[in-house]
């Protein structure tokens, strides 16, 4: 499941990685380039909670390989479309594919993890590795062959579909059904869930805004051309590989909300340094920003699932989808402001958003976690739960 997640989330990172090439080869403005990011996010943000609600009612493991193929096909076609409108359309198809994948995948991973924060961190790590590899993959294909070589980007989708199909055949799909059996335990806490979602939206706007423009910004502020920009984007994504696993381990020791709040506080200082400090020091602040944004990533998902124990699919769809994808809705605003003023001016407001997220999280309490309650019940209960799963 983790490897399949990596193959699917390559296509979330690939859209932002393609932005500099659209600007260079097609002379897109900042606003037009950010519109491509919006196209990948808009439908995804709308339909992902819908897929979550559907998976709350029916098991759809077949959706995993199908959605992987759809996510890859859209990005693969984006470089060979003949118009801006067609580019937006195929990127939107990719966004829908990614949206369809996450709720059922998160449910299956949660069932397989038996409620372990660390295990969910490994699942989330797969997605973050996909993000991190996206700039390297796009650079290897498009920097050498131009946008016309983009059909080669479908390869991870084919691999991901095969991995997802293998996971379904080996019983992971059944694990998703087993996850349904645990629902109905406890009461849905919608106020806390909505506050958590608001914080995730703040994080999302920062992450997507930087994903779309940090490559261009570093070129301006640190020099070094395409190599410098690609390196900065890789640092932003690669930090997630460490941050996501670290977040799960830290949560086991200090508690999820404590870790999440401190990560948001770190993000305020890190984003400020990235935007305001010039020169090579920018790379340090890119790394710190990555840590601050990624440490709480998997914890957002398990917190959301525990705040809505009766609607795990819906919670997964929102925390992995709507709240995350909303950052793409803000990207055109950042791009338009950059066109009207400067890219630095457009990025300055991102400093305040992690602080707002911290305020939203400050009054939350740790929810009950039914998935983690089972081990404390003793060996007979563990066996019965394993049989039911």
């Amino acid at each position: 499941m983790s490897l399949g997640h990596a193959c699917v989330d390559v296509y979330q990172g690939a859209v932002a990685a393609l932005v500099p090439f659209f600007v260079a080869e097609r002379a897109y403005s900042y606003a037009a380039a950010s519109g491509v990011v919006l196209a990948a996010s808009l439908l995804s943000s709308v339909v992902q909670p819908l897929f979550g609600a559907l998976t709350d009612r029916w098991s759809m493991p077949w959706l995993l390989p199908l959605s992987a193929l759809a996510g890859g096909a859209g990005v693969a076609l984006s470089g060979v479309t003949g118009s801006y409108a067609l580019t937006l359309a195929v990127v939107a198809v990719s966004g829908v594919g990614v949206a369809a994948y996450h709720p059922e995948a998160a449910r299956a991973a949660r069932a397989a993890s038996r409620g372990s924060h660390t295990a969910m961190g490994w699942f989330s790590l797969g997605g973050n590795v996909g993000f991190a590899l996206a700039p390297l993959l796009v650079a290897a294909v498009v920097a050498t062959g131009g946008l016309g070589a983009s059909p080669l980007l479908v390869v991870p989708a084919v691999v991901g579909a095969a991995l997802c199909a293998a996971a379904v055949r080996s019983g992971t799909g059944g694990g998703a059904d087993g996850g349904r059996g645990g629902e109905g335990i406890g009461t849905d806490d919608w106020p806390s869930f909505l506050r958590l979602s608001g914080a995730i939206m703040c994080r999302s706007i920062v992450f997507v805004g930087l994903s779309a423009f940090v490559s261009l910004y570093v070129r301006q502020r640190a020099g070094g051309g395409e190599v410098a920009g690609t390196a900065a984007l890789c640092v932003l994504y690669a930090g997630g590989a460490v941050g996501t696993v670290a977040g799960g381990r830290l949560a086991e020791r200090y508690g999820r909300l404590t870790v999440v709040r401190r990560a948001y506080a770190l993000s305020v200082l890190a984003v400020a340094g990235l935007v305001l400090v010039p020169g090579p020091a920018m790379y340090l602040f890119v790394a710190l920003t990555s840590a601050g944004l990624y440490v709480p990533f998997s914890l957002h998902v398990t917190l959301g699932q525990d705040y809505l124990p009766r609607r795990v699919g819906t919670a997964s769809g929102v925390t992995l989808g709507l709240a995350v994808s909303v950052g793409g809705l803000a990207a055109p605003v950042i791009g338009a402001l950059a066109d009207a003023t400067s890219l630095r001016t457009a990025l300055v407001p991102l400093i305040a958003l992690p602080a707002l997220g911290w305020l939203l999280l400050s009054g939350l309490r740790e929810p009950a976690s039914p998935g983690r309650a089972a081990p404390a019940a003793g060996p007979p209960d563990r066996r019965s739960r394993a049989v039911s799963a």
Side-chain angles (χ1 to χ4, degrees), residues 45 61 70 72 91 108 142 220 227 237 327 345 368 377:
S45 65
V91 169
V142 181
Q220 293 177 5
V227 173
Y237 289 167
T345 300

Side-chain angles (χ1 to χ4, degrees), residues 287-311:
L288 291 174
T289 297
S290 180
L293 295 177
Y294 270 116
V295 161
F297 187 80
S298 66
L299 306 180
H300 289 151
V301 180
T302 60
L303 281 167
Q305 291 172 334
D306 289 341
Y307 281 132
L308 298 184
R310 297 176 182 271
R311 296 175 174 83

